[in-house]
Amino acid sequence: MPSFDTVLEPDLVEVRNAVDQSAKEIGTRFDFKGSGAKVELSDKGKDKEITLYADSEFQLGQVMDILTLKLTKRSVDARFLDTSAKIEKIGGDKVKQVVKIKAGIDTETAKKIQTLIKGNKMKVQAAIQGDAVRVTGTKRDDLQAAMALIRKEVADVPLSFDNFRD
C-alpha cells in the first residue's frame, strides 16, 4: 500500500556549519570587537540547542540576525529555530539566549495533521508514529494531494516528506 512519512528534521551538518560561520563572522566584524558576543552549538543527546551570548539585547539581536542569515544561505529553514526562550542576564551587563532546534513533530502538530486529513475526507489515512506522521492510501495521486494539503495548511513548521513507497 503506498505511503509516506511527514517528518520535521533539520540538516544538522548544515546547522553546525552555519553556527561555525556565524562565530567566525562575529570574530572578524568591527562592531563586535572587544565584546563578549559568541555563538555555540551544544548537543545534549537528542536535543540540540544554540546559545547566543552578547553584551546587550540589541547586540544579541544582531547575533541572531547573523545566525539566521547563515542558516538561510545554507538552505536551512529559520523556522527550525525555537526563539521563544527569554533573554537571560548573566554576570554584569552580559546577556544570553538559548535557541532550541526543532526536530521531530510534536504531538499537537501531529494531531493537527491527522485531523486535517480526516476533515477533508480524502481517501488516505494518517497515523502518528513517534515523532512522524505516516500517511497511507490506495492511490499515488491521493498521497500527492495529501502532501499538497499538508504543505498549504501547516505552514508554520518546515515539514518534509520521506519514505515515499508505491
Side-chain angles (χ1 to χ4, degrees):
M1 195 156 179
S3 67
F4 68 87
D5 290 340
T6 306
V7 294
L8 180 68
E9 291 178 350
D11 187 354
L12 294 174
V13 173
E14 293 297 338
V15 170
R16 178 172 298 283
N17 289 339
V19 169
D20 291 344
Q21 283 182 344
S22 299
K24 188 183 256 185
E25 183 172 330
I26 289 168
T28 59
R29 273 185 44 171
F30 179 75
D31 53 341
F32 289 116
K33 280 266 191 280
S35 72
K38 62 181 177 176
V39 179
E40 293 177 348
L41 178 70
S42 61
D43 303 336
K44 293 182 180 175
K46 191 177 179 186
D47 295 333
K48 308 272 190 260
E49 51 190 37
I50 301 169
T51 309
L52 310 173
Y53 298 93
D55 291 343
S56 66
E57 287 189 30
F58 174 73
Q59 204 174 45
L60 194 70
Q62 289 179 318
V63 171
M64 186 65 192
D65 289 344
I66 292 171
L67 177 65
T68 307
L69 179 73
K70 296 297 180 186
L71 284 169
T72 306
K73 281 187 178 179
R74 294 201 144 283
S75 302
V76 177
D77 200 322
R79 293 178 294 174
F80 280 115
L81 301 180
D82 181 14
T83 58
S84 62
K86 62 182 178 124
I87 297 171
E88 305 171 27
K89 288 202 174 286
I90 53 170
D93 59 344
K94 301 215 183 294
V95 292
K96 82 171 188 175
Q97 183 178 17
V98 177
V99 178
K100 290 193 181 338
I101 300 171
K102 297 178 193 172
I105 298 175
D106 59 342
T107 53
E108 184 180 313
T109 308
K111 286 180 182 176
K112 182 179 176 184
I113 292 170
Q114 196 173 27
T115 55
L116 176 73
I117 288 176
K118 283 183 181 175
N120 277 326
K121 298 189 177 20
M122 302 179 86
K123 295 178 183 173
V124 294
Q125 293 84 37
I128 300 170
Q129 295 184 336
D131 56 359
V133 177
R134 172 149 304 156
V135 179
T136 56
T138 55
K139 294 181 183 169
R140 182 182 213 165
D141 293 340
D142 294 337
L143 292 179
Q144 289 174 340
M147 279 183 186
L149 178 71
I150 291 170
R151 274 198 192 103
K152 181 181 166 203
E153 295 295 325
V154 189
D156 56 334
V157 183
L159 297 172
S160 57
F161 307 102
D162 64 355
N163 286 342
F164 193 91
R165 299 219 168 93
D166 246 348

